[in-house]
Amino acid sequence: MRDLVFVGYLGLLFLLAFKRPFLFVLAYCYIDIVAPQRLSYYLLNSIPLSAISFGLAFLAWLFFDDKKDSRFTPRMGAILLLLVYCGYMTTQALEPVAAQVKWDWVWKALIFAAFLPLTLTRKVRIEALVLMLILCASALIVAGGIKTAVGGGGYGQLVILVDDNSGLYESSIISTVAIAIIPLILWAAKYGTIFPPDWRVRAYAAALILVCLLIPVGTAARTGLVCIAVLGVLLLRFTQRRILYFSLIGAVGLAAIPFLPSTFTDRMETIQEYEKDESASTRLAVWKWTWDFAQANPMGGGFDSYRVNKIRYKMPLTDEEGRLTGESTTVEVVDAGRAFHSSYFEMLGEHGYFGLALWLFIHVGGVWRMEMLRRLYIKRAREDEEWVAPLALALQNFSIIYLVGSVFVGIAFQPFPYVIVAAQIGLDSYLARRRAEAAFRPIRSVLKRPESKLSTPAV
Amino acid sequence: MIDNFSILLSHALILIMFWRLVHNVRTDIEEPPRPDEDAAGFAANIRRQRHSRKKMDGPSDA
């Protein structure tokens, strides 16, 4: 039954997209993020859904879109360069089979991220993309948030729609994304035109933000708590009454603690006592291994090169109740094939210094470009451009939260952040074109002689 | 039931969004922007030159 519903739904989306070809791009985003083939049992799994929808999106742009407004930018070039470099490193990978498996989905994410800005040539399209990302993520977030609220959850136990530990369905990734999209939800609720702001939109936005904040509680992902802290600092940036803001946040946080599940508070406490937490010790050991690995292999080891690691680290002794004994004696732990647990070290270990530099250029470049746009459009202060600076800020905040969350989770190639990068590039190109159009004066209108003595025949 | 509610809500909103975009011409066609008060580029240079020449020449005879 569910299969038929999803097939029918996708058919409907594609039918509507034949009327407005840009909608094929949004349909691809839906298939990439929600992955209805994972929610289906058989029918959708037997169809190459992603390939079909991307093909339709590309052909629609090729044959029906006005390409004179499309622009190619340096960051799109960087994404394509990263794609080529990753492809080359896959052929040289230390773990060729595992590398090929990862490459099979990474190249799709990068190709789409490079292509998408070419289609974002209208303000409504940029808004539609942002809205699509929010609504697709909400399919998972609402389920996870409500389950958390009614008492479900726990590290590795919260099942969001399906029991799948990959893509957006993985707990650390959904925690990071759930917090990172909050600025975009706030923007859409205030400046949206597809769903114009009214009490229903504001109520939905408020409820969605609440369930977004519950996701880190339900998944007990420490990354989520760190992302919440970063979001709090970012929202403070333009707040007038900072002391009041801080006091309110602190009061709400303290008041909420007794209501939080013990699984969450116990896990968050391990942030302070990282020495006795094995996952934190593993992280540090893997990061050290990756650093040494990169010295010996500056170009990296290809996708999933962490599989060749063997690490040893010492952990302090704890008693039966898990408390540090304070003794100097430690226990040695030997581990192998431990994942990078950090996007930075993931890039360094898999694609070396060049890969890391490209990745930083793509994402940190977005933070910088959005800051430039924000400052420019505040200075311009035009009534019809009021939506620009807040959108640039929201996209920038997403990137910052993602970059901080990425320190502790290996999500360097997740498609969602790359779609946000594409939205940033599209916004930047669109605004550059519109500024040029607004500043343009046809030479004829300037050379037209004014009514003066020159036009009066001499006597 | 929670899963079904979440899927239903999000998918309904996506469908409404698609429907509105289909009926919104601004998805494909956009009006040109309002011209800037201060022009830029070659045309602006000519304007500025003309303006500064006028200032130097002073007011014309009646």
Side-chain angles (χ1 to χ4, degrees):
Chain A
M1 180 66 184
R2 197 184 241 194
D3 279 27
L4 289 174
V5 168
F6 275 116
V7 169
Y9 185 79
L10 277 165
L12 198 51
L13 292 187
F14 284 148
L15 207 63
L16 290 170
F18 277 109
K19 173 85 174 144
R20 283 269 177 241
F22 170 71
L23 297 183
F24 282 118
V25 171
L26 299 185
Y28 179 83
C29 290
Y30 164 73
I31 290 164
D32 202 31
I33 296 167
V34 177
Q37 53 274 43
R38 293 192 209 186
L39 304 176
S40 134
Y41 297 111
Y42 170 70
L43 278 175
L44 289 180
N45 286 318
S46 57
I47 308 168
L49 207 49
S50 286
I52 291 171
S53 63
F54 180 77
L56 286 169
F58 180 73
L59 290 173
W61 172 78
L62 195 62
F63 291 112
F64 299 110
D65 225 11
D66 190 355
K67 281 166 278 301
K68 71 169 168 51
D69 295 331
S70 299
R71 299 284 183 274
F72 188 80
T73 67
R75 277 204 293 158
M76 288 163 72
I79 292 171
L80 289 173
L81 186 57
L82 182 62
L83 171 72
V84 169
Y85 185 65
C86 289
Y88 168 71
M89 287 308 297
T90 303
T91 64
Q92 310 293 313
L94 295 175
E95 292 280 326
V97 173
Q100 189 62 46
V101 169
K102 187 166 176 178
W103 170 245
D104 278 346
W105 58 267
V106 166
W107 75 265
K108 293 171 194 170
L110 294 178
I111 280 272
F112 185 65
F115 161 71
L116 182 54
L118 298 174
T119 67
L120 300 176
T121 53
R122 304 286 179 264
K123 186 232 170 193
V124 167
R125 293 184 181 190
I126 297 169
E127 182 192 338
L129 177 68
V130 169
L131 209 52
M132 193 67 185
L133 293 176
I134 293 170
L135 293 176
C136 289
S138 76
L140 287 74
I141 290 169
V142 168
I146 294 176
K147 285 177 186 175
T148 304
V150 299
Y155 185 66
Q157 290 171 26
L158 183 68
V159 174
I160 300 177
L161 298 186
V162 287
D163 196 0
D164 191 325
N165 206 28
S166 64
L168 214 54
Y169 292 85
E170 197 273 325
S171 57
S172 295
I173 296 165
I174 191 68
S175 290
T176 305
V177 167
I179 303 305
I181 63 167
I182 288 175
L184 293 171
I185 296 169
L186 290 168
W187 178 84
K190 190 169 178 189
Y191 296 98
T193 58
I194 299 170
F195 290 107
D198 63 11
W199 68 269
R200 291 168 300 181
V201 168
R202 281 190 284 271
Y204 177 76
L208 187 56
I209 289 172
L210 182 61
V211 290
C212 283
L213 292 169
L214 284 176
I215 290 290
V217 177
T219 58
R222 290 170 293 191
T223 307
L225 185 66
V226 172
C227 290
I228 291 174
V230 173
L231 175 68
V233 171
L234 290 173
L235 292 178
L236 191 65
R237 199 173 152 198
F238 300 105
T239 306
Q240 302 289 338
R241 298 175 199 167
R242 289 185 181 163
I243 296 173
L244 177 64
Y245 175 85
F246 252 135
S247 311
L248 271 173
I249 297 291
V252 168
L254 283 169
I257 288 173
F259 298 98
L260 295 171
S262 59
T263 50
F264 176 77
T265 49
D266 290 344
R267 192 152 168 79
M268 295 308 117
E269 275 170 11
T270 63
I271 291 176
Q272 286 180 325
E273 299 169 334
Y274 67 90
E275 304 94 346
K276 69 178 176 98
D277 179 62
E278 192 161 333
S279 76
S281 300
T282 309
R283 265 187 179 86
L284 293 171
V286 168
W287 294 351
K288 187 179 178 312
W289 175 89
T290 309
W291 181 256
D292 296 336
F293 178 80
Q295 310 301 310
N297 304 276
M299 288 180 70
F303 288 120
D304 281 10
S305 57
Y306 70 86
R307 290 173 188 270
V308 304
N309 69 29
K310 279 186 181 55
I311 50 176
R312 288 171 187 272
Y313 53 93
K314 290 187 166 51
M315 281 193 50
L317 282 178
T318 53
D319 60 19
E320 288 164 359
E321 290 175 19
R323 289 178 297 211
L324 290 168
T325 61
E327 292 177 26
S328 58
T329 315
T330 55
V331 59
E332 191 177 76
V333 178
V334 180
D335 228 332
R338 297 301 295 218
F340 294 109
H341 290 300
S342 168
S343 298
Y344 299 82
F345 287 96
E346 179 185 349
M347 288 308 299
L348 188 63
E350 291 182 349
H351 300 100
Y353 295 103
F354 184 61
L356 177 62
L358 274 178
W359 187 80
L360 287 172
F361 176 74
I362 290 166
H363 292 286
V364 179
V367 173
W368 175 69
R369 280 306 304 164
M370 292 303 102
E371 181 63 19
M372 296 295 107
L373 281 181
R374 189 191 66 79
R375 290 182 185 191
L376 175 63
Y377 278 83
I378 283 176
K379 208 187 287 183
R380 280 169 69 92
R382 282 174 54 148
E383 223 175 272
D384 54 342
E385 293 172 348
E386 272 178 359
W387 59 276
V388 174
L391 179 57
L393 183 63
L395 290 169
Q396 182 193 52
N397 286 345
F398 181 100
S399 287
I400 293 172
I401 294 170
Y402 166 70
L403 285 168
V404 173
S406 296
V407 173
F408 309 105
V409 189
I411 52 175
F413 289 105
Q414 283 299 313
F416 201 102
Y418 282 97
V419 179
I420 293 290
V421 167
Q424 291 171 349
I425 296 171
L427 178 68
D428 207 348
S429 305
Y430 167 77
L431 292 173
R433 179 172 58 79
R434 295 285 281 185
R435 285 197 302 276
E437 286 173 8
F440 175 69
R441 290 288 183 278
I443 191 71
R444 210 175 276 177
S445 74
V446 176
L447 291 179
K448 191 175 166 186
R449 292 168 182 275
E451 285 186 9
S452 66
K453 59 181 178 183
L454 291 175
S455 62
T456 311
V459 175
Chain B
M1 198 179 82
I2 293 173
D3 288 348
N4 289 338
F5 169 73
S6 177
I7 292 171
L8 192 66
L9 178 62
S10 53
H11 286 55
L13 289 173
I14 290 170
L15 198 56
I16 293 170
M17 183 179 77
F18 265 57
W19 183 258
R20 290 185 178 185
L21 287 170
V22 164
H23 293 94
N24 186 350
V25 292
R26 288 199 180 97
T27 309
D28 292 333
I29 301 166
E30 209 169 46
E31 306 93 33
R34 187 166 50 86
D36 282 343
E37 283 169 13
D38 296 325
F42 183 61
N45 288 339
I46 291 180
R47 256 216 183 132
R48 275 188 218 107
Q49 283 169 19
R50 196 175 281 168
H51 182 72
S52 58
R53 213 181 302 136
K54 246 190 190 166
K55 264 182 144 174
M56 278 167 48
D57 291 347
S60 59
D61 292 333

